[in-house]
Amino acid sequence: MVSYTVSHQAYVKMILHSAKYPHKPVNGVLLGKQDGSGQVTIEDAVPLLHNWTSLSPMMEIGLDLAGNYAASKGQQLVGYYQASERVDEVSLAPVGEKICSKIRESFPDAIALVIDGKQVGSESAALMPFVLSSGTSWRPASSSSAPFTAGSSFALASDASPSRVLTLIRETRLHEKFGDFDDHLEDVSIDWLRNEASMDPSP
Amino acid sequence: MDLPSALQKLSTFRARNTRASQETFDKGLVVLKGNGLKKLGDESWSFLEQLALAAIDVGRLDIADRCLQLLTDKFPGSPRLDCLHGIRKEVTESPAAVLLYYGKLLQADPVNVALWKRKISVLRRIGRIDEAVAELIELLDTFYTDVEGWLELVDMYCSVHQYISSLQSLSHVLLLAPQNPFHVLRFAETAYTAGDIPLAMKSFLNVIDMADADEDAPAEQVPSGFTIRAWFGIKQCACRLQRERITSPSQTAVPEHVQLFDELATERLKTVYAGRDKSDKEATEVLEWLARV
């Protein structure tokens, strides 16, 4: 059974991205590794777009650059994430399915995480995992226990991440320093692959 | 934060229609608490409308309601306020109730564009996209020159992957606002997504042309802003055109010297990134990417 762990850094980056553009859809890719027993560690997230998320040219370039960056760190693209501009929308957009299927070509256990706007303000993980069910259709991961609870195959590396990211947004406004590939294309000094300015060393 | 600078910033946001809700809200609160309403004079009403919208956006309904009350006292029965009240209702009331509210008002005043657009946006939000598209087309039939409306239609078609329809709507935007390079850029990216690479290539090149025509500076300068995005697009199109056999649904001709365009885009992007500081690791990564693809 494949299981997934989301690192603190990856979790923080996804939520910061959605907090920077609350009135727009945002998306990006997940970087990580898989060990011999099937355990996938999502170590980092690279934010891609917020402007025209269903158009492909900049997405293709961003994916390519993010893939190279992952390889340079000994990681690979293991999934995709998105947030909707609507707080109650948690379905995977068709463009997400397309990108996931592309990531799957090099990583068969690829996963999609959709940010659950209603949960962001809570103490629990605001993520909805999607996996390939059949052919090309992606469905919410089904298992006996809800994702990110004890016994499920999805876990956060640190349980403190959800509340920590809220502090970072509300008190230090870290999301304002965060940048994605779209931002970079307007101002090339914006560091979207690493986002060093908005790193949080520990939960 | 002092009052004059807050007022200055807020007036810029109003003029540009910027949706920077958190910043608008923070600065607006300074104005509201710092007795800024008197300083604003006649402008205070458009300020209150701006603050109400920002407050709704960041979830501070108490402040929104205070603004709405002040506005209602001054302009009872104003159609512009009807719209603002509607937006406030959208937060806490069911979509059905809000649609009923807009429906009643539209019956009395069928061509109130602001209300009509709210109704369309609610329809889109609750997933009734076919109805939203139909209503928006009807609106644009009446108000052809509404660029904002056309862009919304472009976006709706895009969200359901009807890229050809999206391109057609974008053509109207280009007719109505031919001087805006962002619309041309969007056209190029939509054409690319629709699989019409030659049309995308042509449009990306148009973006560069528009930027050159706009500048008094010598042509040999470092690309900046949206032209960087356009050069990336040209690079991507040139690569595809060299690698694959591509047809154009719009019968756009493939440029003769694709390889030269590829080299030019690479050179232009190199000047952008080679000028960056050595500590910029991302610049190195982009340069490596350019050398490889």
Side-chain angles (χ1 to χ4, degrees):
Chain A
M1 177 82 185
V2 186
S3 61
Y4 300 85
T5 310
V6 181
S7 75
H8 178 63
Q9 176 172 292
Y11 187 82
V12 166
K13 284 189 178 178
M14 285 186 273
I15 305 295
L16 288 180
H17 195 196
S18 69
K20 184 167 184 190
Y21 299 104
H23 58 283
K24 288 183 175 176
V26 300
N27 62 20
V29 284
L30 304 167
L31 275 51
K33 281 183 202 150
Q34 186 167 33
D35 68 14
S37 62
Q39 162 80 24
V40 178
T41 315
I42 296 164
E43 294 176 5
D44 202 357
V46 172
L48 293 174
L49 309 179
H50 66 268
N51 274 340
W52 305 321
T53 45
S54 35
L55 299 183
S56 53
M58 298 305 134
M59 174 58 91
E60 286 176 15
I61 298 169
L63 269 177
D64 212 9
L65 285 163
N68 285 348
Y69 171 65
S72 76
K73 296 205 306 171
Q75 300 170 346
Q76 56 178 327
L77 299 184
V78 297
Y80 165 88
Y81 75 87
Q82 67 158 54
S84 167
E85 74 279 27
R86 286 158 43 195
V87 85
D88 53 356
E89 173 67 271
V90 286
S91 60
L92 183 64
V95 79
E97 295 193 342
K98 225 166 109 185
I99 295 164
C100 287
S101 300
K102 197 171 158 65
I103 295 174
R104 241 187 124 252
E105 289 168 13
S106 56
F107 186 74
D109 289 315
I111 186 184
L113 296 174
V114 175
I115 294 170
D116 182 350
K118 282 192 167 152
Q119 286 292 320
V120 170
S122 74
E123 303 273 299
S124 51
L127 298 172
M128 184 93 124
F130 280 69
V131 291
L132 188 70
S133 63
S134 64
T136 55
S137 102
W138 292 69
R139 298 250 173 276
S142 57
S143 68
S144 47
S145 36
F148 298 100
T149 58
S152 99
S153 43
F154 304 92
L156 293 182
S158 161
D159 287 336
S161 300
S163 53
R164 173 69 185 158
V165 74
L166 291 181
T167 314
L168 294 172
I169 292 167
R170 288 177 180 153
E171 284 166 28
T172 49
R173 296 215 171 171
L174 204 57
H175 57 295
E176 290 170 6
K177 294 197 184 115
F178 193 80
D180 59 16
F181 187 49
D182 261 337
D183 290 318
H184 173 86
L185 288 169
E186 275 169 44
D187 172 1
V188 292
S189 71
I190 290 169
D191 153 39
W192 61 287
L193 283 170
R194 292 175 182 76
N195 266 300
E196 267 164 14
S198 47
M199 284 287 220
D200 182 48
S202 65
Chain B
M1 196 172 6
D2 58 302
L3 192 53
S5 75
L7 286 173
Q8 179 61 40
K9 192 88 192 180
L10 287 169
S11 131
T12 320
F13 282 165
R14 275 203 301 278
R16 297 204 187 137
N17 228 345
T18 312
R19 186 169 175 178
S21 300
Q22 188 65 50
E23 203 181 343
T24 303
F25 179 78
D26 295 343
K27 292 196 160 60
L29 221 50
V30 173
V31 176
L32 200 64
K33 290 193 170 146
N35 212 9
L37 283 182
K38 281 208 185 89
K39 268 212 177 78
L40 276 164
D42 274 351
E43 255 189 292
S44 67
W45 309 112
S46 47
F47 159 74
L48 283 171
E49 185 184 32
Q50 176 188 27
L51 179 57
L53 284 170
I56 289 170
D57 228 3
V58 301
R60 283 293 302 272
L61 298 179
D62 54 327
I63 299 293
D65 288 341
R66 213 167 116 192
C67 297
L68 272 168
Q69 193 55 54
L70 287 167
L71 286 165
T72 314
D73 293 346
K74 172 78 180 173
F75 307 102
S78 137
R80 189 155 156 182
L81 266 180
D82 285 343
C83 186
L84 203 54
H85 277 293
I87 296 171
R88 169 66 183 81
K89 282 182 199 294
E90 286 179 39
V91 188
T92 45
E93 290 181 25
S94 72
V98 180
L99 284 176
L100 199 67
Y101 170 82
Y102 288 138
K104 268 187 190 155
L105 287 167
L106 281 168
Q107 229 165 22
D109 180 9
V111 287
N112 185 322
V113 181
L115 286 172
W116 201 352
K117 285 184 176 175
R118 286 319 307 168
K119 182 184 170 196
I120 292 168
S121 102
V122 174
L123 287 173
R124 182 182 180 180
R125 178 161 60 89
I126 57 174
R128 283 155 67 176
I129 191 114
D130 290 352
E131 283 169 73
V133 166
E135 291 251 1
L136 187 49
I137 289 174
E138 204 187 322
L139 184 150
L140 290 168
D141 235 15
T142 320
F143 303 98
Y144 176 75
T145 55
D146 192 325
V147 173
E148 188 191 54
W150 282 108
L151 285 171
E152 181 67 14
L153 188 61
V154 166
D155 204 52
M156 282 199 222
Y157 278 132
C158 223
S159 73
V160 291
H161 297 247
Q162 296 195 11
Y163 294 112
I164 303 297
S165 302
S166 190
L167 277 176
Q168 283 163 353
S169 311
L170 265 171
S171 325
H172 292 284
V173 174
L174 296 183
L175 277 174
L176 292 165
Q179 69 285 42
N180 188 330
F182 286 97
H183 301 328
V184 185
L185 198 52
R186 183 163 193 174
F187 188 90
E189 295 196 17
T190 310
Y192 184 100
T193 312
D196 196 338
I197 311 297
L199 182 62
M201 179 78 157
K202 191 177 153 194
S203 312
F204 278 125
L205 288 166
N206 274 341
V207 176
I208 302 292
D209 248 5
M210 291 171 84
D212 283 350
D214 209 33
E215 303 283 351
D216 301 325
E220 280 303 306
Q221 59 173 352
V222 180
S224 63
F226 59 86
T227 54
I228 297 176
R229 198 172 170 115
W231 282 117
F232 267 110
I234 293 166
K235 172 81 188 162
Q236 191 76 354
C237 289
C239 287
R240 294 269 311 263
L241 289 171
Q242 287 176 92
R243 268 201 316 259
E244 303 162 32
R245 279 187 61 87
I246 280 175
T247 52
S248 164
S250 64
Q251 322 252 301
T252 308
V254 176
E256 253 176 68
H257 306 288
V258 175
Q259 198 198 334
L260 290 178
F261 279 116
D262 187 8
E263 284 169 23
L264 180 64
T266 308
E267 184 275 329
R268 293 279 75 201
L269 288 169
K270 271 184 181 164
T271 59
V272 174
Y273 287 97
R276 308 263 330 136
D277 191 82
K278 285 272 179 291
S279 65
D280 186 341
K281 286 174 248 166
E282 309 215 334
T284 323
E285 264 144 25
V286 178
L287 287 169
E288 280 171 18
W289 177 81
L290 283 170
R292 199 171 40 82
V293 288

